[in-house]
Amino acid sequence: MRKYLDREGFDREEIDRVVKELESMHYLDDEEYCRMYIRRELEKGRGKSVAARGLKELGVDEFTIEDVLAEEEFDFDEKSLAMEEALKVVRMAGEEPPCSEKTIGRIARRLQSKGYRTELIYSIIGELRK
């Protein structure tokens, strides 16, 4: 942050003040930032892999991401969340399980775009074909 603000032409006193303020709000704390980011992604119905990929793109190191994802707070039933997303697609199609192949395709694409693991997607699809 200091380098960025320096490049933008801010003076030292201003940089110090901004950095202290950001630290007090935990914006420069990578672990806390990861927690906030992951929570937001999960609330949007996205999987852990999408959250991890987004954090990597933002420059957070892989070890910090893995540590935060391993915390008890993020130990949730990803399958239930994926099933909820799948059932939204089923309802929009006006169907009930077993689903048509067209709807199965839509479900697979939706879950993949949300970042769910391939094996989880196949498991959900298997249940919705019965």
Side-chain angles (χ1 to χ4, degrees):
M1 181 55 73
R2 288 182 187 279
K3 288 178 187 177
Y4 172 78
L5 293 172
D6 191 45
R7 277 195 319 265
E8 294 296 314
F10 291 93
D11 63 50
R12 288 260 181 241
E13 289 177 23
E14 212 168 12
I15 292 172
D16 289 340
R17 184 184 54 76
V18 168
V19 167
K20 281 183 182 181
E21 186 174 338
L22 291 173
E23 285 174 339
S24 74
M25 296 186 313
H26 300 285
Y27 288 151
L28 297 182
D29 177 347
D30 280 353
E31 286 185 12
E32 185 58 30
Y33 180 77
C34 283
R35 286 182 197 96
M36 290 176 5
Y37 187 93
I38 292 166
R39 272 188 222 107
R40 187 176 64 237
E41 292 300 295
L42 296 177
E43 286 169 3
K44 292 179 181 177
R46 296 188 177 119
K48 288 181 180 181
S49 62
V50 165
R53 189 175 31 223
L55 287 165
K56 285 177 193 171
E57 289 172 4
L58 291 169
V60 178
D61 75 274
E62 200 168 324
F63 296 113
T64 302
I65 296 168
E66 288 175 10
D67 287 347
V68 171
L69 282 172
E71 291 177 358
E72 195 172 304
E73 173 183 0
F74 299 110
D75 186 24
F76 61 93
D77 185 7
E78 197 170 18
K79 186 172 183 177
S80 294
L81 293 175
M83 183 59 86
E84 285 178 35
E85 284 297 318
L87 291 174
K88 286 179 190 176
V89 175
V90 172
R91 284 190 298 273
M92 288 188 316
E95 295 184 22
E96 289 187 25
C99 299
S100 68
E101 287 304 308
K102 184 176 181 179
T103 301
I104 293 293
R106 287 179 180 160
I107 292 166
R109 287 187 297 278
R110 172 76 172 250
L111 295 178
Q112 185 179 27
S113 74
K114 294 279 189 173
Y116 290 101
R117 296 172 286 111
T118 305
E119 57 271 9
L120 179 58
I121 294 171
Y122 282 125
S123 172
I124 298 292
I125 288 171
E127 288 183 32
L128 293 175
R129 278 191 168 137
K130 295 179 184 178

